């Protein structure tokens, strides 16, 4: 049964691929808001940026009912992500602030569905996109400042921009360089002009932050099997909302 199912899937795939072809190419530039989801920090957005190109892989020559509407979109983007952050501990009169400015190369692989809008003038299309994106960090800056009066230790009083170590300012010395995210978007196309709105959400947490409450619980509870090494969680994932404008042309 499994062999028959695999053979059927391969046959359908080969049949669809035989009628598929690259149909369009395009470029986009977009700006928006980027932030980081993190329960340990109060955060505010920075300006997000997406810039890149793509090609569409269509199935117009297939006999399937969806062939004129469904297509795949693959490309490469240069993107900017990050956030400003803040933590306040009133009882200890302790304060932390900073930002992440992170730059990536992104490769999105999206399934897209388009339909022509019922307008009197032809060539007005609406699109819906969904799919994964794979990100590799290029470079970035991090500013992390923590002030706690009365405690001279560098673990609670530091400023990465005042540090004599240049790597303290380099974001990917402290954060994970690789990320996988989802991209969901809607778009509008008329002739060669496009407008797209994308929401992007990362799945790989960016950096390790000590969870103080869980660490104290582990140290005070001798019955627990947790250790400090396995309860300090990686925290924070990317989020961005970007509005893009672009230009597209057929490959035929």
């Amino acid at each position: 049964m499994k062999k028959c199912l695999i053979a059927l899937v391969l046959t359908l795939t080969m049949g669809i691929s035989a009628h598929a072809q690259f149909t369009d190419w395009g470029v986009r530039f977009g700006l928006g808001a980027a932030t980081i989801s993190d329960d340990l920090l109060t955060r505010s957005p920075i300006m997000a940026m997406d810039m890149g190109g793509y090609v569409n892989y269509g199935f117009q020559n297939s006999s399937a009912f969806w062939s004129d509407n469904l297509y795949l979109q693959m490309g490469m983007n240069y993107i900017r992500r990050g956030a400003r952050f803040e933590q306040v501990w009133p009882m200890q009169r302790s304060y932390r602030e900073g930002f992440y400015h992170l730059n990536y190369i992104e490769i999105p692989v999206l399934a897209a569905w388009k339909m022509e809008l019922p307008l009197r003038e032809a060539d007005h299309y609406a699109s819906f996109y969904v799919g994964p994106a794979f990100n590799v960090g290029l470079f970035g800056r991090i500013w992390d400042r923590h002030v706690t009066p009365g405690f001279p230790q560098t673990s609670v009083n530091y400023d990465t921009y005042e540090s004599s170590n240049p790597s303290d300012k380099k974001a990917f010395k402290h954060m994970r360089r690789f990320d996988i995210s989802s991209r969901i978007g809607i778009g509008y196309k008329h002739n060669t002009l496009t407008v797209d709105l994308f929401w992007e959400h990362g799945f790989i947490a960016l950096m390790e932050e000590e969870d103080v409450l869980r660490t104290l619980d582990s140290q005070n509870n001798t019955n627990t099997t947790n250790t400090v090494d396995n309860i300090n969680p990686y925290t924070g994932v990317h989020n961005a909302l970007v509005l893009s404008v672009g230009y597209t042309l057929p490959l035929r």
Side-chain angles (χ1 to χ4, degrees):
M1 182 64 181
K2 289 184 178 179
K3 291 182 179 180
C4 293
L5 182 60
I6 292 173
L8 178 61
V9 171
L10 288 175
T11 302
L12 291 174
T13 302
M14 292 175 63
I16 292 173
S17 299
H19 296 286
Q21 60 183 336
F22 290 104
T23 59
D24 307 274
W25 68 273
V27 293
R28 289 193 187 103
F29 176 78
L31 298 174
T35 187
I36 292 175
S37 297
D38 190 337
D39 293 336
L40 300 179
L41 301 173
T42 301
R43 66 272 177 195
S44 58
I46 66 167
M47 180 177 290
M49 184 185 71
D50 285 28
M51 178 174 60
Y54 61 87
V55 291
N56 292 333
Y57 191 67
F59 307 96
Q60 284 87 339
N61 296 327
S62 171
S63 60
F65 72 93
W66 42 258
S67 61
D68 290 335
N69 302 96
L70 180 67
Y71 61 98
L72 303 179
Q73 187 174 103
M74 296 156 282
M76 180 176 290
N77 301 324
Y78 167 73
I79 66 172
R80 182 177 188 256
R81 298 290 186 263
R84 298 181 181 88
F85 63 84
E86 183 181 48
Q87 280 181 306
V88 180
W89 297 270
M91 297 298 294
Q92 291 81 17
R93 294 187 300 162
S94 183
Y95 179 71
R96 183 185 178 195
E97 63 179 338
F99 59 72
Y100 310 129
H101 293 171
L102 309 172
N103 300 273
Y104 295 85
I105 285 292
E106 178 182 72
I107 300 176
V109 182
L110 307 177
W113 183 269
K114 67 177 180 180
M115 59 182 179
E116 189 166 9
L117 297 175
L119 302 175
R120 296 182 64 180
E121 184 181 359
D123 203 21
H124 290 267
Y125 289 90
S127 301
F128 173 75
Y129 310 90
V130 62
F134 306 92
N135 306 313
V136 179
L138 297 176
F139 59 91
R141 293 186 299 146
I142 182 173
W143 177 46
D144 192 351
R145 174 177 175 264
H146 195 170
V147 178
T148 307
F151 290 88
Q153 296 91 339
T154 56
S155 61
V156 291
N157 278 283
Y158 57 83
D159 188 331
T160 57
Y161 264 47
E162 297 296 331
S163 172
S164 59
N165 186 352
S167 66
D168 286 344
K169 306 179 186 67
K170 297 179 180 179
F172 291 112
K173 293 292 184 179
H174 310 275
M175 313 179 80
R176 282 174 166 163
R177 190 176 291 271
F178 301 98
D179 189 23
I180 298 175
S181 57
S182 65
R183 282 176 72 93
I184 300 174
I186 56 175
Y188 167 76
K189 174 181 175 292
H190 177 55
N191 294 329
T192 59
L193 300 178
T194 61
V195 179
D196 299 285
L197 180 66
F198 284 100
W199 168 254
E200 186 164 341
H201 175 73
F203 292 111
I204 297 180
L206 294 170
M207 63 186 302
E208 192 174 13
E209 289 281 358
E210 182 176 343
D211 190 329
V212 178
L213 296 179
R214 294 176 66 187
T215 301
L216 292 175
D217 180 69
S218 174
Q219 294 172 347
N220 294 332
N221 187 354
T222 57
N223 295 324
T224 184
T225 58
N226 285 336
T227 66
V228 173
D229 290 336
N230 65 29
I231 67 171
N232 287 346
Y234 276 83
T235 184
V237 295
H238 286 302
N239 286 286
L241 183 66
V242 177
L243 179 65
S244 300
V245 295
Y247 182 81
T248 183
L249 283 175
L251 284 171
R252 291 178 286 179

